[in-house]
């Protein structure tokens, strides 16, 4: 079945450091891909998405490029801030199509220190 | 636009007791999801509704969990009786005909 593998955390960085969180997937066809973020005590929020191969999703300084050759959707940010401290989840929808069911990775906890 | 509302935010119960969670999705969102998020893991889908009908409940432990969505709006998830391993955050999400799901803040359940 469809699956998502995320880089194990936790990740601890200093402010203004470069961030990469790896995500690879296994799926039938070429599904949309998502990154969700969960701030402490809150629900998940969609951070960015890409709907087809070679698309780049971007939001709040974060970027991720849909690479079908490597079945990857790595999340990057050039200069992290303390406010970026959160758990990040990579996700893809069920290949069945119409159900819009999401499969999530295990999440990567990011802590940014001032 | 109001987001997905959930209550309560926190609940502590003893094992073998029952508990219920409530969710009010974004107005007009026909599809509603309940997820279980165990500490250190990603959310796992428990049940999906389309209006007031069940689309997918393959991961719902039906011997103890039940859910309903009367009138295709609000939904309730119940656990009876609860086990220690049910300790988790229960997330409700909704969507209107797309992959982009909108999540509520969740209910953190602790079973002692």
């Amino acid at each position: 079945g469809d699956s998502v593998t995320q880089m194990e955390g936790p990740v601890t960085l200093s402010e203004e450091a470069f961030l990469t969180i790896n995500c690879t997937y296994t799926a039938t066809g070429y599904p949309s891909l998502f990154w969700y973020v969960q701030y402490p005590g809150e629900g998940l929020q969609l951070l960015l998405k890409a709907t087809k191969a070679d698309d780049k999703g971007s939001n709040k300084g974060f970027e991720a490029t849909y690479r079908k050759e490597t079945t990857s959707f790595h999340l990057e940010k050039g200069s992290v801030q303390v406010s970026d401290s959160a758990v990040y989840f990579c996700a893809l929808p069920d290949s069945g199509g119409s159900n819009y069911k999401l499969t999530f990775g295990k999440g990567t906890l990011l802590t940014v220190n001032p | 636009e109001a987001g997905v509302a959930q209550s309560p935010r926190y609940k502590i119960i003893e094992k073998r007791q029952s508990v219920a969670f409530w969710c009010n999705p974004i107005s007009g969102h026909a599809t509603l999801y309940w997820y279980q998020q165990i500490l250190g893991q990603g959310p796992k889908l428990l049940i999906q509704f389309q209006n007031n009908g069940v689309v997918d409940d393959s991961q719902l432990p039906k011997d103890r969990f039940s859910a309903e969505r009367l009138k295709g709006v609000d939904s309730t998830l119940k656990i009876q009786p609860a086990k220690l391993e049910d300790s988790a955050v229960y997330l409700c999400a909704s969507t209107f005909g797309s992959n982009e799901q909108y999540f509520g803040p969740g209910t953190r359940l602790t079973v002692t």
Side-chain angles (χ1 to χ4, degrees):
Chain A
D2 297 352
S3 66
V4 174
T5 302
Q6 259 184 262
M7 183 175 93
E8 294 281 335
V11 174
T12 302
L13 297 172
S14 297
E15 211 165 19
E16 299 183 4
F18 183 83
L19 168 71
T20 299
I21 300 177
N22 290 340
C23 171
T24 57
Y25 67 91
T26 303
T28 303
Y30 303 105
S32 297
L33 297 171
F34 302 89
W35 277 100
Y36 277 83
V37 58
Q38 187 174 33
Y39 297 104
E42 299 183 15
L44 278 73
Q45 303 174 25
L46 179 65
L47 179 60
L48 55 84
K49 66 179 180 182
T51 57
K52 61 183 188 295
D54 300 325
D55 259 6
K56 178 184 285 188
S58 61
N59 186 26
K60 300 182 180 179
F62 290 88
E63 293 183 340
T65 301
Y66 188 155
R67 301 200 186 280
K68 67 177 182 180
E69 318 81 42
T70 54
T71 61
S72 65
F73 193 53
H74 304 323
L75 182 68
E76 297 181 337
K77 186 173 185 180
S79 176
V80 293
Q81 306 300 311
V82 172
S83 56
D84 294 328
S85 298
V87 181
Y88 293 81
F89 295 92
C90 187
L92 79 162
D94 179 72
S95 57
S98 62
N99 281 354
Y100 306 125
K101 183 173 92 172
L102 289 175
T103 296
F104 288 87
K106 290 188 175 182
T108 303
L109 173 63
L110 170 66
T111 301
V112 180
N113 295 319
Chain B
E1 179 184 76
V4 177
Q6 289 188 248
S7 68
R9 291 295 310 275
Y10 306 92
K11 190 74 177 179
I12 301 174
I13 62 171
E14 296 181 351
K15 59 184 178 183
R16 291 187 289 274
Q17 286 187 323
S18 62
V19 64
F21 313 127
W22 172 82
C23 172
N24 179 240
I26 292 173
S27 177
H29 282 196
T31 308
L32 183 147
Y33 309 80
W34 283 102
Y35 289 88
Q36 180 191 58
Q37 185 181 13
I38 292 173
L39 186 65
Q41 298 183 21
K44 182 187 82 171
L45 181 69
L46 292 175
I47 188 166
Q48 177 185 349
F49 291 94
Q50 180 74 18
N51 296 309
N52 59 352
V54 175
V55 174
D56 184 347
D57 64 356
S58 57
Q59 303 260 55
L60 187 74
K62 299 180 186 63
D63 57 333
R64 297 184 300 105
F65 286 64
S66 64
E68 60 182 10
R69 190 183 184 197
L70 300 176
K71 300 181 182 179
V73 182
D74 293 4
S75 178
T76 303
L77 177 69
K78 296 180 182 177
I79 307 175
Q80 181 180 6
K83 293 185 175 181
L84 295 176
E85 59 260 37
D86 298 332
S87 294
V89 176
Y90 291 85
L91 295 166
C92 179
S94 69
T95 188
F96 179 73
S98 77
N99 291 333
E100 188 168 334
Q101 297 182 19
Y102 295 83
F103 285 80
T107 297
R108 182 176 298 277
L109 173 68
T110 302
V111 182
T112 63

